[in-house]
Amino acid sequence: ETVEHQRPEQGWQSIQLPYSLRSGDGITGPAWFRVQWKLHCPDHRGDHSELALAISGIHQAGEVYWNDQLLWRSRSLQEPFSRGWNTPRWWPVAIMDTQQVQTLWVRVLSHSPSRHGIGHVDLGPQHAIEALHEHRYARQRTGYVVSAALGTGIACIALVVWLFRRQEKSYFWLGSMQVMWVVYLCTILS
């Protein structure tokens, strides 16, 4: 693979998640994030699917590795990039040795170095991570769908009223504003 796909050996900085790169951070290519865990739990030799990992969003496109195993990759890692900043994701993860440090690697790509970022990262029991994911999905995606549906209804009603009462220009502006709002929400959801 090219140097762009290799994890950096040095130059790591401590950051607080969620994190968004600022233009003065000196990053010119893809950004790598490394999160390490030392698990303090008994060795589970039978079932390795008890833990799960969740990320609230990756700005703009990226790849997620658990230790050295690829968990997920954006559909497009080249321009035009996939946009995953508003899509929470989760994966079950396998722990082979609870005494070893577990490492999450996230490679983030963007058309502009100042647009790299990663959201909240959580590791925990699978049932808790699933519940967290459902909550995040409702907040980050379903809320926009409901708002777009309501905006579409308001736009239709306002524009129909305006068609029958052309002198009432406030209905036209309300309907037009709602149409623009729905277009904006559809852009976020896409």
Side-chain angles (χ1 to χ4, degrees), residues 146-187:
V146 170
S147 182
L150 290 173
T152 301
I154 292 170
C156 290
I157 292 169
L159 291 173
V160 165
V161 169
W162 173 74
L163 283 174
F164 290 107
R165 303 185 79 190
R166 296 279 175 119
Q167 69 277 13
E168 300 286 339
K169 297 202 184 294
S170 60
Y171 288 105
F172 171 77
W173 291 112
L174 174 64
S176 299
M177 181 191 72
Q178 289 299 317
V179 167
M180 294 302 147
W181 178 245
V182 169
V183 167
Y184 173 72
L185 290 177
C186 289
T187 302

Side-chain angles (χ1 to χ4, degrees), residues 9 18 55-56 90 110 139-140 156 161 169 175 178 182 190:
E9 298 286 328
I55 298 178
S56 64
W90 77 276
S110 175
R139 191 181 72 224
Q140 292 174 227
C156 290
V161 169
K169 297 202 184 294
Q178 289 299 317
V182 169
S190 69

Side-chain angles (χ1 to χ4, degrees), residues 55-62 72 74-76 81-89 108-109 117-119 140-141 188-190:
I55 298 178
S56 64
I58 297 173
H59 199 287
Q60 287 182 312
W72 173 83
S74 292
R75 280 185 297 206
S76 176
F81 288 118
S82 300
R83 309 214 185 270
W85 64 272
N86 201 38
T87 304
R89 303 185 192 288
V108 180
L109 299 101
I118 186 172
Q140 292 174 227
R141 303 288 295 176
I188 288 175
L189 289 169
S190 69

